[in-house]
């Protein structure tokens, strides 16, 4: 059997916001009985969604699909204000699984608008978190900036009265470049004191950076549409590793391993550890493995449950 070194990144996988969101669905199922409706994938992972579906959760795209009298949960990515308002109007009981770090950005957006500022929001068009954050403020007071080019081109009406905010799951490096352009062009712009990019996103990117240069190949477990997982793949690629995003071990093309001596492994914030272990098992069936876990940070973040479920 050929030998293969595996560098496993730590931290990887579930963050506190994902843990909390899944727990909310599980507790709601216990507390209110089946079915419980969930608007949008609770987190961007098929394995998580399938296991909650098996326990009695019904996933829908839009609130209209939730029948009268049902309980509905909003996903970790956050929702526009109109969604809970509409749910209340319909008499639905609803629970909000929005990650507290996303909610924090929502409150910052409101405060900036109250202070009369126009907001430049750094994020990816169409992502549910971006839709949710735009939905916290009146139309027209927030402009999306996706790239350095956008940051160079944007022409706000009053360049002296601006704020910026960002999506939580962006590339740390790309965002720093974009924010640097905004600060150069608009020296009076006000931003968050720390980072809107969350601790889990930045820790997972740093962990990939620490190993990717030593890897011929990097596997990132996560969904195509998971922003934080995609960013991990990009970080690995920029460090010079060939990198693939896979949902499960079944998605591995073993041809990728030709000539590979060291492979890196990580998982996005929405990917459960069991999928990491399955990938390691699949490799063990084909190679003589030497596994090393490389830890760049230890995470101790936890979030409280919503009031309705805390007792
Ligand atoms: O925002 P992203 O697409 O990375 O979502 P995810 O469900 O993959 O990860 C957790 C979160 C949030 C908010
Ligand atoms: Fe919250 Fe960050 Fe996890 Fe998203 S990735 S759920 S913002 S901790």
């Amino acid at each position: 059997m050929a030998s293969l070194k595996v560098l496993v990144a730590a931290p990887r996988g579930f963050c506190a916001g994902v843990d909390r969101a899944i727990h909310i669905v599980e507790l709601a199922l216990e507390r209110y009985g089946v079915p419980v409706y969930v608007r949008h994938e609770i987190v961007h992972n098929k394995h998580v969604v399938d296991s909650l579906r098996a326990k009695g959760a019904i996933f829908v795209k839009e609130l209209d699909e939730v029948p009268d009298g049902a309980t509905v949960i909003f996903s970790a990515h956050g929702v526009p204000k109109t969604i809970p308002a509409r749910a209340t109007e319909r008499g639905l009981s609803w629970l909000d699984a929005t990650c507290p770090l996303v909610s924090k950005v929502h409150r910052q957006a409101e405060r900036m608008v109250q202070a009369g500022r126009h907001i430049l929001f750094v994020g990816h068009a169409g992502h549910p978190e971006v839709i949710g954050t735009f939905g916290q403020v009146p139309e027209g007071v927030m402009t999306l900036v996706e790239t350095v080019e956008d940051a160079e081109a944007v022409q706000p009406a009053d360049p002296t009265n601006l704020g910026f905010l960002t999506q939580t799951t962006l590339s740390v490096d790309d965002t720093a470049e974009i924010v640097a352009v905004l600060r150069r062009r608009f020296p009076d712009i006000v931003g968050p004191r720390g980072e809107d990019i969350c601790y889990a996103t930045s820790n997972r990117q740093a962990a990939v950076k620490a190993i990717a240069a030593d890897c011929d190949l990097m596997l990132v477990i996560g969904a195509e549409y998971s922003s934080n997982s995609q960013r991990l793949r990009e970080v690995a690629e920029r460090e010079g590793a060939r990198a693939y995003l896979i949902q499960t071990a079944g998605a591995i093309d073993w041809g990728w391993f030709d000539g590979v001596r060291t492979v890196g492994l990580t998982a996005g914030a929405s990917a459960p550890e069991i999928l990491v272990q399955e990938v390691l098992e699949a490799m063990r069936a084909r190679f003589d493995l030497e596994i090393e876990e490389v830890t760049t940070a230890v995470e101790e973040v936890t979030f409280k449950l919503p009031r309705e479920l805390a007792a």
Side-chain angles (χ1 to χ4, degrees), residues 15 17-18 41-45 76-78 99 102 127-129 167-169 201 223 225-230 268-271:
C15 59
V18 163
E41 289 199 358
I42 186 75
V43 299
H44 290 150
N45 188 271
H77 317 94
C99 175
V102 174
H127 189 280
E129 183 183 327
Q167 195 177 333
T168 56
T169 51
T201 296
Y225 48 93
S226 163
S227 169
N228 80 87
S229 307
Q230 279 289 8
S270 45

Side-chain angles (χ1 to χ4, degrees), residues 217 242 244 252-260 286-287:
L217 170 70
R242 242 181 331 120
Y244 297 98
I252 295 174
D253 173 348
W254 295 100
W256 296 339
F257 286 74
D258 290 350
V260 168
R286 290 165 178 83
F287 300 97

